[in-house]
Structure formats: structure tokens, C-alpha cells
Amino acid sequence: MPSSHATPEPRPGDDRSTDLIRWAAFSCFLVPVVLLWYGSSLAGAAGTTLGLAAVTAVCRVLLRRSERCTARLLDEEDAPQAHPRGRHQRTGPGSHRGGRHSGGNSPVG
């Protein structure tokens, strides 16, 4: 039997971006360990760690920004569009919808 409250659907890119950030964080840990294992200096491994962490942080910020912009564009597409001319504006000459009209076949009295 379905539950009484609705669960929000995850955004399409949410799982992929989270996985990407997790793998990047894992590599920030793994790469310096491998460098130390193969005999690199501690300073070199620390510098590599800082560089990878900085690149990961910038990529994360850009990825989140891209997701927000995409979500905003999708929201704008789903929003109902207002009539571009408004409710009471004429669309062109001769497009009267009632009232008094001059000329034509009607007698003027």
C-alpha cells in the first residue's frame, strides 16, 4: 500500500554528481598514498594532495552551479507563459472585438 506522503523525486544529475565528487575525494586520498608507497617525498605527496583538493573543490563548485542553472532553466520552461501583449492590447489594425464601428453597411442615424 502506498504511503500517505509523497517523496520528492531526485534530480536527474544528483546521483551522478555525488558519485563524481566521492570518487574525486577518494583520489585525493589515494594518489598521495600511492606516491608515498613508490618512494616520492612527503612534501611532493602533500603538494599533490593540496593540488588535487583544490581542483576537486573548484570542480564541485562549478558542477553545483551548472546543476542550479539547469534546474532554473527547466523551471522556466515548465512555468506558464503570460500572453506577451497583455490582456487588453490590440494585436493589429482591424482587430476590434465589439463596440461601435463606423463605415460598412450599417446605417448611421
Side-chain angles (χ1 to χ4, degrees):
M1 188 168 223
S3 64
S4 61
H5 59 77
T7 57
E9 290 185 25
R11 293 184 306 205
D14 199 24
D15 289 336
R16 291 182 294 185
S17 62
T18 302
D19 287 344
L20 182 69
I21 297 300
R22 286 182 183 165
W23 277 107
F26 176 70
S27 71
C28 287
F29 168 75
L30 184 64
V31 169
V33 169
V34 170
L35 287 174
L36 287 174
W37 182 266
Y38 282 102
S40 180
S41 68
L42 185 60
T48 301
T49 301
L50 291 175
L52 286 173
V55 168
T56 301
V58 169
C59 288
R60 181 174 185 258
V61 167
L62 292 174
L63 185 62
R64 298 296 181 204
R65 182 179 178 191
S66 173
E67 288 176 345
R68 283 194 309 267
C69 289
T70 301
R72 185 175 24 214
L73 287 174
L74 290 175
D75 287 344
E76 287 176 2
E77 285 180 2
D78 291 342
Q81 298 293 323
H83 194 273
R85 293 187 176 265
R87 183 172 176 162
H88 296 291
Q89 292 181 354
R90 295 180 183 165
T91 58
S95 62
H96 303 284
R97 290 194 168 194
R100 298 178 59 143
H101 298 284
S102 62
N105 294 331
S106 59
V108 178

